[in-house]
Amino acid sequence: VNTPRHLVVFARAPMRGTVKSRLAADIGKDAALAFYRRTLHDLLWRLGRDPRWTSWLSVTPDGSASNSAFWPPVPGLQIVPQGLGDLGVRMARPMREFPPGPVLVVGSDIPDIAPEHVMAGFAALGQHDMVFGPAGDGGYWLVGAARRRPIPRGLFADIRWSSEHALSDTLAGLPGDARVAMLGELDDIDDGAAWHAWRARH
């Protein structure tokens, strides 16, 4: 029997002044919001309709889950609130609470992510407990758990988010015998320099 796979996209309601604050400081709130809306829309249409996994959009603030004006009408996409807690608590929640099967969590600001990246993540979980997609800034654009064993209690605790230590802090919190796979590097667009480089590529 094929175990269902779960792809969870984390997103913030696209409102001016609340998304991509570091990018907005460099290029302005309107340009940052336009970038975020476009990236979220394109990513969800590209990944959210793939029949090889169930796609979930996990959103904050929680009340925005029911506001259809915020989210692209992607067929089959299930929209759920992230719930309370810091980013680490919210990221661990689908890994602890979702129906059985491997779970991948990705951000909504990685313009270059494609279905083959998602499949590579699920493939890695066939032989590993956890998988990460490292970003050039020391963070990560993907994290996944096979969920064959319980999710570590301290997963995503004491992480220095938005710093060059995010990935190393997360790895340090894993059990010593955890089997970890690494995918190739992709970058999220967090500041003006990254945005200009992305624009130049497209």
Side-chain angles (χ1 to χ4, degrees):
V1 179
N2 280 341
T3 307
R5 306 176 177 116
H6 304 283
L7 174 69
V8 187
V9 179
F10 264 49
R12 181 173 290 278
M15 296 181 287
R16 186 178 187 272
T18 66
V19 295
K20 306 304 297 174
S21 54
R22 280 162 61 195
L23 180 61
D26 289 346
I27 68 171
K29 292 179 180 177
D30 291 330
L33 176 61
F35 165 81
Y36 185 79
R37 279 185 180 277
R38 176 186 160 187
T39 304
L40 177 64
H41 176 277
D42 291 353
L43 182 148
L44 291 175
W45 279 99
R46 196 162 58 242
L47 305 182
R49 297 174 295 165
D50 199 300
R52 293 174 291 179
W53 53 76
T54 300
S55 294
W56 305 78
L57 181 61
S58 182
V59 304
T60 187
D62 287 356
S64 67
S66 57
N67 188 336
S68 59
F70 284 141
W71 315 115
V74 177
L77 182 68
Q78 305 194 55
I79 302 175
V80 294
Q82 288 180 16
L84 299 175
D86 66 17
L87 179 60
V89 170
R90 288 178 278 132
M91 284 173 56
R93 188 166 284 128
M95 296 184 177
R96 297 189 200 284
E97 299 180 2
F98 270 30
V103 168
L104 294 180
V105 176
V106 300
S108 50
D109 52 0
I110 306 112
D112 295 330
I113 191 171
E116 56 263 31
H117 296 115
V118 176
M119 274 312 296
F122 284 124
L125 290 176
Q127 303 294 325
H128 297 84
D129 301 310
M130 301 284 298
V131 62
F132 292 87
D137 60 5
Y140 44 94
W141 55 269
L142 173 147
V143 58
R147 304 169 80 209
R148 286 182 292 266
R149 46 198 281 192
I151 298 300
R153 183 173 296 279
L155 185 65
F156 307 130
D158 302 317
I159 309 297
R160 287 169 282 183
W161 299 110
S162 300
S163 82
E164 69 271 27
H165 306 291
L167 178 56
S168 57
D169 285 352
T170 306
L171 293 173
L174 297 179
D177 62 346
R179 294 173 300 169
V180 178
M182 291 287 169
L183 302 181
E185 199 172 278
L186 289 179
D187 286 316
D188 54 6
I189 309 297
D190 271 339
D191 58 24
W195 182 78
H196 287 293
W198 172 76
R199 287 280 297 260
R201 293 199 305 273
H202 295 266

